[in-house]
Amino acid sequence: MSNEQGRILIFGAGVIGSMYAMKLIEAGFDVTLFARSNRYISLRKHGLRYKEKGTVRSIRVNVIDTLENDDVYDYIFVTVRYDRSESALLTLQDNQSKNIVTMISNSKGFSSWLDIVGDRLLPAFPGFGGQIKDGVLHARFLPKFIAATAFGEINGVVTERIEKLATIFKTAKLPCDIKKDMQAYLITHAVSDIAMLSVLQSENKIMDQETAKTRNAARQITLILKAHLKAIQKAGVSIDPPMLKMVLKSPNLLLDLFFMTWLRTKMVRDMMLPDYANHANHEIVQLRNDLIKFLSQNGIKSEMG
């Protein structure tokens, strides 16, 4: 399979990059993981460690901390946070690889990314999450009907490189979904993240778990999410996934109950851990600021509560 599909570089060894590396290596692909600092040292020494069925396992991975311009890959997956996206793409600007897959949130469109890497850009979004604790990956895979790796050409055309990318994911048994409008999908997803996470982390303070369980916290998410969805619709963005259109039609009480349930999950408790929350806050702040700019450019003033 590696001879047919070529080489894959995963640029970023956090949760998302590590999860793709693990699944692609297990499927027999030629994978290299780009990491820095302590993560690079850990991967070199211990391999990629992950927890599965209560047991910590390890898989060997080729890891680098510098990338030469003539070190060419068939696909480079960029798996960094949104607030580090332009810095990462600038690092890859002069590399000769032809396909750069950005597994990154985006709330303003692709013009700045295109300025850096041109038509090599393939926007995407991961279909899973998790945490790295003490150097060990704790993966969280969601059912396909909830989340799958989404990707597509900016113009919506299903090209040969898109079909090959889909084959890679299917071979690795990673659910995937080819999108015709990745900008709409990413902006919609950014709106959801902004609404939910900005309530948990406001004014550089992490909400305590008891407060998070209250009806008031759920109501804040309901109102912010509805306001944001209405705003992007006015700006001409198609809400994707379409099920989120139901949010605009649903009574606030029903949404409050849904978010009250969500706020009591282990996933949310993990989000409120200081290390996770502080890193996520930087990303959410930039997503929010760029969403305001995007809406303003389209003549829309949002109630960004």
Side-chain angles (χ1 to χ4, degrees):
M1 181 59 69
S2 61
N3 289 334
E4 179 184 346
Q5 300 294 354
R7 307 171 70 213
I8 298 171
L9 173 68
I10 299 177
F11 190 94
V15 171
I16 301 303
S18 297
M19 292 176 76
Y20 277 107
M22 177 183 71
K23 299 298 287 185
L24 292 169
I25 291 170
E26 289 178 343
F29 288 96
D30 180 1
V31 176
T32 298
L33 190 55
F34 183 97
R36 286 187 169 134
S37 304
N38 292 337
R39 185 64 174 152
Y40 170 79
I41 295 170
S42 175
L43 289 165
R44 291 272 293 185
K45 184 176 181 180
H46 303 292
L48 201 169
R49 292 182 293 166
Y50 60 98
K51 195 165 186 178
E52 182 179 74
K53 297 179 180 179
T55 302
V56 175
R57 306 180 187 276
S58 177
I59 188 169
R60 301 308 302 177
V61 57
N62 182 38
V63 58
I64 60 175
D65 63 352
T66 57
L67 178 65
E68 302 297 331
N69 292 338
D70 60 356
D71 187 9
V72 177
Y73 297 83
D74 283 70
Y75 290 91
I76 296 179
F77 293 0
V78 184
T79 58
V80 300
R81 298 196 315 264
Y82 179 63
D83 51 307
R84 295 182 176 178
S85 59
E86 291 189 12
S87 174
L89 293 177
L90 285 168
T91 301
L92 299 171
Q93 186 173 36
D94 296 324
N95 182 271
Q96 297 170 24
S97 302
K98 293 182 179 180
N99 301 303
I100 298 177
V101 184
T102 48
M103 298 279 183
I104 308 173
S105 293
N106 186 306
S107 58
K108 67 176 182 180
F110 307 118
S111 59
S112 63
W113 292 358
L114 286 167
D115 288 343
I116 299 172
V117 298
D119 61 8
R120 295 181 293 163
L121 180 68
L122 275 174
F125 194 79
F128 39 64
Q131 282 184 286
I132 293 177
K133 299 178 182 177
D134 299 322
V136 177
L137 173 66
H138 296 250
R140 186 188 302 117
F141 294 98
L142 299 173
K144 181 180 179 180
F145 73 91
I146 296 177
T149 300
F151 57 94
E153 298 282 1
I154 292 174
N155 62 9
V157 175
V158 179
T159 58
E160 182 180 356
R161 67 178 183 170
I162 286 292
E163 291 176 340
K164 287 183 177 179
L165 190 57
T167 299
I168 289 172
F169 290 132
K170 289 173 183 176
T171 301
K173 298 181 180 178
L174 289 166
C176 63
D177 189 8
I178 298 174
K179 294 287 184 180
K180 291 185 177 180
D181 190 345
M182 275 304 299
Q183 177 167 305
Y185 180 83
L186 288 172
I187 290 177
T188 304
H189 197 282
V191 158
S192 299
D193 280 352
I194 291 166
M196 292 187 284
L197 295 182
S198 62
V199 170
L200 293 177
Q201 308 152 31
S202 60
E203 298 178 357
N204 293 320
K205 293 181 181 179
I206 304 168
M207 182 179 288
D208 65 85
Q209 292 188 19
E210 290 307 311
T211 303
K213 295 177 182 178
T214 63
R215 168 81 178 277
N216 182 59
R219 175 52 62 95
Q220 288 182 60
I221 296 174
T222 294
L223 296 178
I224 294 171
L225 181 56
K226 277 192 170 184
H228 289 12
L229 289 173
K230 288 177 183 177
I232 63 173
Q233 269 195 328
K234 289 179 182 178
V237 175
S238 299
I239 294 177
D240 184 15
M243 63 179 289
L244 277 176
K245 291 180 182 178
M246 297 300 297
V247 169
L248 296 176
K249 300 177 181 179
S250 298
N252 287 354
L253 177 60
L254 184 63
L255 293 172
D256 291 350
L257 292 173
F258 171 81
F259 287 120
M260 284 179 72
T261 302
W262 177 74
L263 286 165
R264 287 167 166 77
T265 62
K266 182 181 183 300
M267 179 174 68
V268 170
R269 290 198 299 273
D270 289 344
M271 288 177 182
M272 296 165 69
L273 295 173
D275 184 60
Y276 182 103
N278 290 334
H279 283 95
N281 186 57
H282 294 298
E283 181 172 38
I284 292 301
V285 167
Q286 186 161 339
L287 282 170
R288 183 179 182 276
N289 291 342
D290 284 348
L291 179 62
I292 293 172
K293 292 176 185 176
F294 170 79
L295 293 172
S296 178
Q297 289 168 357
N298 286 274
I300 306 299
K301 184 177 181 180
S302 173
E303 299 174 11
M304 303 290 283

